[in-house]
Amino acid sequence: WHPWHPWHPPFEPLAGPLGSGLGTPWKRSFAQAVYRQQLLDGNEEILTQEEKEEKDKIIKELTRKLSGPLADEDGNVPTGEDRPIAIEVDGPSHFYANSKQYTAYTKLKHRLLTRMGYKVLHVPYFEWRQLRSAKDREEYMRSKLKEEPSEWLDPEDEKYYNQGPEGPEEEEFSVKPDPPKPTESWPSTPPTPPPPSAVPQAPRSPPGPPGSRSPQAPQQAPQQ
């Protein structure tokens, strides 16, 4: 026990609206703090009837807005033959360079529009360029309107998300960072000095008699 941290007895779960039966402002604020702590620690939310109605209203409004303009008040989107048709003309920017593979952005857009209740049809530019006459283009569009596309633009994506990787070569992996390299530290013992150089030294001349000077090399005259 510490004088700056007084002990409080445990409180039972609060019932009814906050502040009922609590006279002083200190008691009301303390009860609200305990109530918030119960919301964080409990497995289930402890909400009053008014709070539950407000929560359901917010969830319903968010569901309706996030479901798109075709959704009803309950967030349900049209399905089957009731879906409106959206035709996406796929130019070169919808594919990766030098390929016929859709980009991730195009596939995500297709999936979102499908989830919003649209029947999304795609007209790739390389297929449209092969149509020479107006009759060929009309037949091409008539056949497109009969298609029933799913939310997956790429069948491989649907297979991967629904079934997962099949073989060990397709297992998911995570790129782990390389372990940190050990930092260089000073050695505990000083390094051994290298051996002396084996270059032979010139012999020294014997010392002369006292008072004599050692011969010096002749100096060159400065150049003018």
Side-chain angles (χ1 to χ4, degrees):
W1 181 83
H2 195 277
W4 294 104
H5 298 80
W7 177 82
H8 295 283
F11 283 81
E12 296 295 330
L14 301 177
L18 294 179
S20 61
L22 301 176
T24 62
W26 181 88
K27 290 183 178 180
R28 287 195 297 270
S29 62
F30 184 77
Q32 293 174 356
V34 174
Y35 181 75
R36 288 193 298 268
Q37 189 64 31
Q38 289 176 350
L39 290 179
L40 296 176
D41 296 341
N43 296 328
E44 297 182 359
E45 292 182 323
I46 306 175
L47 302 177
T48 63
Q49 185 63 27
E50 296 179 357
E51 293 172 340
K52 290 181 180 179
E53 293 178 358
E54 183 179 2
K55 177 184 176 181
D56 295 339
K57 182 180 178 181
I58 293 175
I59 293 177
K60 184 177 180 180
E61 183 67 17
L62 290 176
T63 303
R64 187 186 64 82
K65 289 185 177 181
L66 296 177
S67 298
L70 304 179
D72 55 11
E73 296 181 356
D74 299 328
N76 300 320
V77 297
T79 58
E81 298 180 356
D82 297 334
R83 295 185 297 171
I85 298 176
I87 299 178
E88 183 78 16
V89 181
D90 299 329
S93 61
H94 291 254
F95 303 88
Y96 289 110
N98 302 325
S99 71
K100 296 182 180 180
Q101 182 181 2
Y102 282 103
T103 61
Y105 175 81
T106 303
K107 291 188 288 187
L108 177 61
K109 182 180 179 181
H110 172 89
R111 190 178 182 189
L112 292 176
L113 290 174
T114 305
R115 286 283 185 98
M116 293 169 62
Y118 291 95
K119 177 182 177 180
V120 187
L121 304 177
H122 292 264
V123 180
Y125 74 97
F126 48 84
E127 293 183 359
W128 187 259
R129 288 179 179 178
Q130 296 177 357
L131 305 175
R132 299 301 179 182
S133 62
K135 183 178 179 180
D136 295 339
R137 296 170 183 173
E138 181 179 355
E139 292 179 356
Y140 175 84
M141 293 305 302
R142 288 182 181 275
S143 62
K144 277 288 180 182
L145 294 175
K146 295 179 182 179
E147 295 181 357
E148 293 295 334
S150 64
E151 66 172 298
W152 302 98
L153 188 56
D154 190 348
E156 294 296 330
D157 294 343
E158 181 180 7
K159 179 181 178 182
Y160 180 82
Y161 280 95
N162 294 334
Q163 301 179 6
E166 295 181 353
E169 67 278 357
E170 298 182 0
E171 292 182 356
E172 297 182 1
F173 65 93
S174 59
V175 179
K176 298 182 179 180
D178 297 335
K181 297 181 180 181
T183 57
E184 297 182 358
S185 58
W186 293 100
S188 57
T189 57
T192 305
S197 177
V199 178
Q201 300 181 359
R204 298 181 179 180
S205 59
S212 61
R213 298 181 178 180
S214 58
Q216 299 179 356
Q219 300 180 356
Q220 297 180 357
Q223 298 180 359
Q224 297 181 357

